Amino acid sequence: MNNMAYEIEYLKEIFVEYVELVQSQFEKSILILKENNIELIHEVLRNEKRVDSGELTVEKNCENILALFQPVATELRLVTAILKSVSDLERIGDHAKNIAQLAESRLENPIQSSLIEQYNVVGLAKKVSEMAEILIESFEESNSVKASKVFKLDYEINKEYRKILTNLKSDIKENIKFSDDY
């Protein structure tokens, strides 16, 4: 195995570990919403630094491969796909942190489970976890057909997320009573 092949394999390994970390953070944040678990809140908040540093580690390895080996074709596509994906994953990690912070600020008055069900938060979270699983499998198997499923799921998740936001905004407007003074 030449140096570039070794570095590519190492990059794939650390990327899969990063995906698993972010997936774990996200799944824990959904459990926080469902259970209002203070221990999980603190765990997600503690692991936020690992998520941030993991992004930098993966990016640094991508940049090293690009600079030192000038990959072409398959290797170049792999490195650029990882480079693009890592920032999206870090953003998912940020969402997990934000959910934990929201739950922490609402410990005395947790979000009602009926709202979580009404907006299908758990269903959306399951799709995000499924997408992460497919992403990991596609990298471990070097399977581009599975990787293309990630794009389809991403589209579905974004569509469902926009629908939730639209419904939430509409519900908020309907429930706000404005005073005549304004």
Side-chain angles (χ1 to χ4, degrees):
M1 184 180 284
N2 64 28
N3 286 341
M4 183 170 75
Y6 172 79
E7 291 296 327
I8 293 283
E9 283 306 309
Y10 178 69
L11 175 62
K12 287 167 70 174
E13 285 176 29
I14 63 171
F15 181 69
V16 167
E17 288 173 9
Y18 186 66
V19 173
E20 290 170 342
L21 171 64
V22 171
Q23 180 184 18
S24 171
Q25 287 282 94
F26 185 74
E27 289 172 352
K28 287 174 185 169
S29 72
I30 298 305
L31 275 176
I32 288 168
L33 283 178
K34 289 169 56 177
E35 301 172 1
N36 204 38
N37 183 323
I38 187 74
E39 291 171 13
L40 280 180
I41 291 170
H42 294 304
E43 184 177 340
V44 167
L45 295 175
R46 268 193 320 269
N47 283 333
E48 171 59 18
K49 286 183 177 35
R50 287 184 56 213
V51 171
D52 291 343
S53 68
E55 176 193 23
L56 297 175
T57 300
V58 172
E59 284 178 348
K60 180 180 165 231
N61 279 276
C62 288
E63 291 165 359
N64 285 342
I65 289 170
L66 292 172
L68 296 174
F69 302 108
Q70 301 172 350
V72 293
T74 305
E75 290 84 6
L76 180 60
R77 284 191 297 274
L78 175 71
V79 172
T80 55
I82 289 174
L83 208 49
K84 181 187 178 312
S85 299
V86 75
S87 63
D88 292 335
L89 288 164
E90 196 277 333
R91 197 172 72 237
I92 292 170
D94 285 344
H95 289 311
K97 175 194 72 172
N98 293 340
I99 291 169
Q101 288 174 330
L102 173 67
E104 184 178 46
S105 73
R106 296 185 56 110
L107 280 173
E108 298 299 318
N109 185 20
I111 296 170
Q112 297 172 353
S113 60
S114 62
L115 287 175
I116 294 168
E117 289 175 25
Q118 177 183 348
Y119 292 106
N120 193 26
V121 173
V122 175
L124 183 61
K126 284 180 182 176
K127 281 187 179 181
V128 171
S129 289
E130 179 185 349
M131 186 172 71
E133 288 295 326
I134 293 170
L135 181 63
I136 290 168
E137 290 173 11
S138 70
F139 272 96
E140 290 177 339
E141 300 169 10
S142 296
N143 185 327
S144 61
V145 174
K146 281 188 180 179
S148 67
K149 289 180 183 179
V150 171
F151 297 111
K152 182 181 177 198
L153 268 173
D154 184 53
Y155 174 79
E156 291 173 15
I157 289 165
N158 287 335
K159 186 177 173 182
E160 196 167 328
Y161 177 71
R162 284 190 295 275
K163 181 181 169 187
I164 289 171
L165 283 181
T166 301
N167 291 339
L168 182 61
K169 287 176 185 176
S170 175
D171 289 349
I172 289 170
K173 284 180 183 176
E174 288 177 16
N175 292 315
I176 294 178
K177 305 275 190 265
F178 290 100
S179 154
D180 291 336
D181 297 336
Y182 296 103

